[in-house]
Amino acid sequence: MSESANPRDGGVITTDIVLVGAGIMSATLGALIHRLQPDWSISVFERLDAAAAESSDPWNNAGTGHSALCELNYTPQTADGDVDITKALHINEQFQVSRQFWANSVESGVLRRPEEFINPIPHVSFVHGESNIDYLRKRYDKLAGETLFKGMEYITDPVEFTKRLPLMSAGRDFADPVALNWFDGGTDVDFGALTQQLLGYIGHAGTVNFGHAVTNLKKQSDGTWILKVKNLRTKETSTVKAGFVFIGAGGGALHLLQKSGIKEAKGFGGFPVSGAFFRCTNPDLIDDHGAKVYGKAAVGAPPMSVPHLDTRVINGKAGLLFGPYAGWSPKFLKEGKITDLPASIKPGNLLPMMSIAPKEFGLLKYLISELAAGPADRVETLAEFVPRAQGEDWELIVAGQRVQVIRKQGRGGVLEFGTAVIAAEDGSIAGLLGASPGASTAVPAMLDVLQRCFPKHYEAWQPQLSDMIPSLGHKLNDNPRLFEQIWDHTSKVLGLQNTVETTPNERGAHLATPSTV
């Protein structure tokens, strides 16, 4: 280790790697680096007093483990009525990479107690109405034959619907026909617990500093970076010298990338969208549901606003979440400032940001309608999934901010609902912008950072990376035998083998006291 001082003492720190933000992205990158290069020192700086307190917090996301098994926005209907599954295959391939890394990390002792961060939960797509049913049938016909989606079921029988989703069937008028795509091999992922375990491992390589904000950074002539770090408790400022900086600060990443002055960050802007969920407070309702059920997004709604009713497993207990309900705030973080958006506007991104409003009228209309909605309107939206929903059984919780990427395109800009890795040409700094699919594809996103920022090392790391991720460089969808071997192995290591069919009540009882793996 090359650290020379503790930031709490107001001294100067020299470290190989600085990770800004203590969320799933920084934790994943830090764990990868420490496994590949254990002699490198790592310093993590998080302005809040806890790990994964923003987007990675389990109640700030649905924990779906985005694998495109149930999210309909990854299988859009084309103009000719067909269904495009290209993105679904890509997203699922990425999730398989994350899943392999987690399993290998359990085997190597980097992660412990997988039941604390991942549990088996069916993933389900749900629609009603003839035209939507026709779409879902086409989606099934396209996906069911693919290796990654083998085992998917198509269900239209009201009796079977009732058996599998009793909470959603009670009081439902089946004169309005329904359909499901059902996949038993889905998961619920607590990215907060996963982040905490990864940070515990990173702590062996350096320090994880909470209550410390990176306020500025500047590149030196020798290629290193000098960062100013403020202790938010003592108000002292420290100087940190690092060979490489990763900015995984969620919505706060844009401001720091702009301060870095790298040309690759110029022209980027951000559009914040806040979110809220209904969290169920009635244990009987929680016990009556055991799946993650996704519907279709409203017209003009962003992809991250697809309505869904999710079983969650947090601290060993089953929970139930519905949403999201969109809102708007100029803050870039849940614990941010109202000046975040205006402070992000620079000469280089002014035109791209101004050009978005006319192009995204549907999104603006959707946000306005969401902002105008009251408690009764939210319950009415929930009733599409839970026909007998009562407001007193649910509490509204704020899920945080998601800053969508605005990328310069020609003279204007384009709003992107995804993640973008921004890296300097010399590989000395990188940052992650955007919000979705985010955490579930953290491992492939961070492998991209390693490949772009450490190209010479990456070649030498390949054998070790292949041990961690056996499918690296291959498409599992094109290799059924390899996929089956990897799926069976990772399922066993992560404790995801669920061979006994259970009712929602039995699932709830099982999830409340997860078995030891």
Side-chain angles (χ1 to χ4, degrees):
M1 282 177 49
S2 56
E3 286 189 316
S4 61
N6 189 309
R8 296 183 182 88
D9 299 330
V12 176
I13 299 172
T14 299
T15 186
D16 296 312
I17 308 291
V18 162
L19 305 175
V20 183
I24 185 62
M25 293 298 176
S26 291
T28 299
L29 181 60
L32 279 165
I33 290 175
H34 188 38
R35 293 192 66 182
L36 296 167
Q37 208 70 40
D39 58 322
W40 288 2
S41 56
I42 301 174
S43 294
V44 182
F45 297 104
E46 166 59 53
R47 66 190 190 89
L48 300 179
D49 291 327
E54 283 277 354
S55 297
S56 301
D57 180 272
W59 288 117
N60 285 351
N61 60 74
T64 307
H66 288 269
S67 44
L69 296 170
C70 57
E71 302 94 335
L72 298 178
N73 51 298
Y74 296 139
T75 51
Q77 194 159 20
T78 59
D80 62 359
D82 198 5
V83 175
D84 184 358
I85 64 171
T86 305
K87 191 167 186 178
L89 294 175
H90 176 65
I91 293 294
N92 195 297
E93 290 278 5
Q94 288 186 308
F95 181 68
Q96 301 305 326
V97 171
S98 292
R99 182 174 158 130
Q100 290 171 72
F101 176 71
W102 299 337
N104 180 266
S105 295
V106 170
E107 291 180 303
S108 63
V110 173
L111 294 173
R112 310 167 310 283
R113 303 180 299 277
E115 72 278 7
E116 291 185 1
F117 66 85
I118 189 166
N119 282 274
I121 294 290
H123 282 204
V124 184
S125 303
F126 158 67
V127 299
H128 59 93
E130 292 293 350
S131 61
N132 288 329
I133 288 175
D134 179 63
Y135 155 74
L136 201 67
R137 177 72 210 196
K138 291 179 180 177
R139 177 183 186 268
Y140 169 78
D141 289 341
K142 280 291 194 71
L143 287 177
E146 301 291 339
T147 299
L148 297 176
F149 293 83
K150 183 180 179 181
M152 177 177 283
E153 300 175 75
Y154 178 73
I155 298 167
T156 56
D157 179 21
V159 175
E160 188 65 22
F161 183 105
T162 301
K163 175 185 175 183
R164 300 197 187 200
L165 298 171
L167 181 63
M168 292 181 60
S169 63
R172 183 172 297 278
D173 181 4
F174 285 103
D176 179 22
V178 296
L180 305 173
N181 283 171
W182 185 285
F183 194 88
D184 265 327
T187 54
D188 175 83
V189 185
D190 181 341
F191 288 105
L194 177 59
T195 298
Q196 290 169 6
Q197 289 197 30
L198 291 172
L199 288 174
Y201 172 70
I202 294 170
H204 298 302
T207 59
V208 180
N209 307 281
F210 296 110
H212 285 74
V214 175
T215 59
N216 209 346
L217 67 168
K218 186 176 181 180
K219 189 176 180 183
Q220 304 301 291
S221 58
D222 63 357
T224 61
W225 287 87
I226 294 293
L227 298 86
K228 294 298 181 182
V229 180
K230 185 176 182 179
N231 184 322
L232 300 180
R233 290 184 288 269
T234 67
K235 308 304 180 184
E236 292 180 345
T237 298
S238 302
T239 300
V240 180
K241 183 178 182 180
F244 171 77
V245 177
F246 174 71
I247 304 174
L254 178 59
H255 287 145
L256 287 174
L257 282 169
Q258 290 174 333
K259 288 183 178 181
S260 74
I262 61 172
K263 62 181 181 180
E264 291 80 5
K266 292 182 179 178
F268 278 91
F271 183 78
V273 178
S274 61
F277 284 102
F278 263 153
R279 180 166 60 189
C280 188
T281 58
N282 186 331
D284 292 333
L285 299 185
I286 295 171
D287 288 346
D288 228 14
H289 189 76
K292 291 183 176 293
V293 184
Y294 273 57
K296 294 190 75 174
V299 177
M304 67 177 199
S305 294
V306 173
H308 45 91
L309 182 66
D310 291 86
T311 293
R312 297 300 330 265
V313 188
I314 299 172
N315 296 325
K317 295 182 179 180
L320 193 57
L321 201 68
F322 177 80
Y325 297 99
W328 191 84
S329 165
K331 295 181 180 181
F332 275 8
L333 291 164
K334 187 175 181 178
E335 301 294 333
K337 301 176 181 178
I338 60 173
T339 55
D340 285 345
L341 177 58
S344 74
I345 301 174
K346 308 294 181 183
N349 66 15
L350 179 59
L351 285 178
M353 293 184 72
M354 289 179 62
S355 71
I356 291 301
K359 298 177 183 178
E360 299 291 342
F361 180 73
L363 171 60
L364 294 176
K365 183 179 178 181
Y366 165 77
L367 288 176
I368 291 170
S369 66
E370 287 285 283
L371 288 170
D377 299 307
R378 296 190 186 99
V379 174
E380 184 178 349
T381 301
L382 170 61
E384 182 182 359
F385 283 69
V386 184
R388 290 180 177 170
Q390 301 291 325
E392 58 266 26
D393 293 326
W394 304 80
E395 62 177 346
L396 192 69
I397 61 172
V398 178
Q401 295 289 101
R402 303 293 191 270
V403 179
Q404 309 303 326
V405 176
I406 297 176
R407 187 190 296 267
K408 187 176 182 180
Q409 187 178 77
R411 288 179 168 238
V414 58
L415 186 65
E416 297 181 349
F417 298 103
T419 52
V421 173
I422 311 299
E425 186 177 4
D426 66 356
S428 65
I429 188 171
L432 192 79
L433 299 178
S436 181
S440 306
T441 58
V443 178
M446 294 305 97
L447 288 175
D448 181 37
V449 170
L450 291 178
Q451 190 168 17
R452 292 169 63 178
C453 296
F454 303 95
K456 294 180 180 179
H457 289 89
Y458 194 83
E459 185 176 350
W461 290 336
Q462 283 281 5
Q464 192 173 352
L465 285 170
S466 295
D467 286 340
M468 297 181 200
I469 306 163
S471 74
L472 197 64
H474 303 278
K475 286 189 175 182
L476 285 174
N477 197 59
D478 297 335
N479 293 271
R481 186 174 179 182
L482 177 61
F483 171 71
E484 184 176 350
Q485 292 173 347
I486 289 174
W487 180 266
D488 289 345
H489 179 72
T490 56
S491 295
K492 181 179 179 180
V493 173
L494 295 173
L496 301 176
Q497 292 175 320
N498 188 8
T499 57
V500 180
E501 184 175 345
T502 57
T503 66
N505 280 292
E506 291 169 335
R507 289 190 198 108
H510 167 71
L511 293 173
T513 54
S515 59
T516 301
V517 177

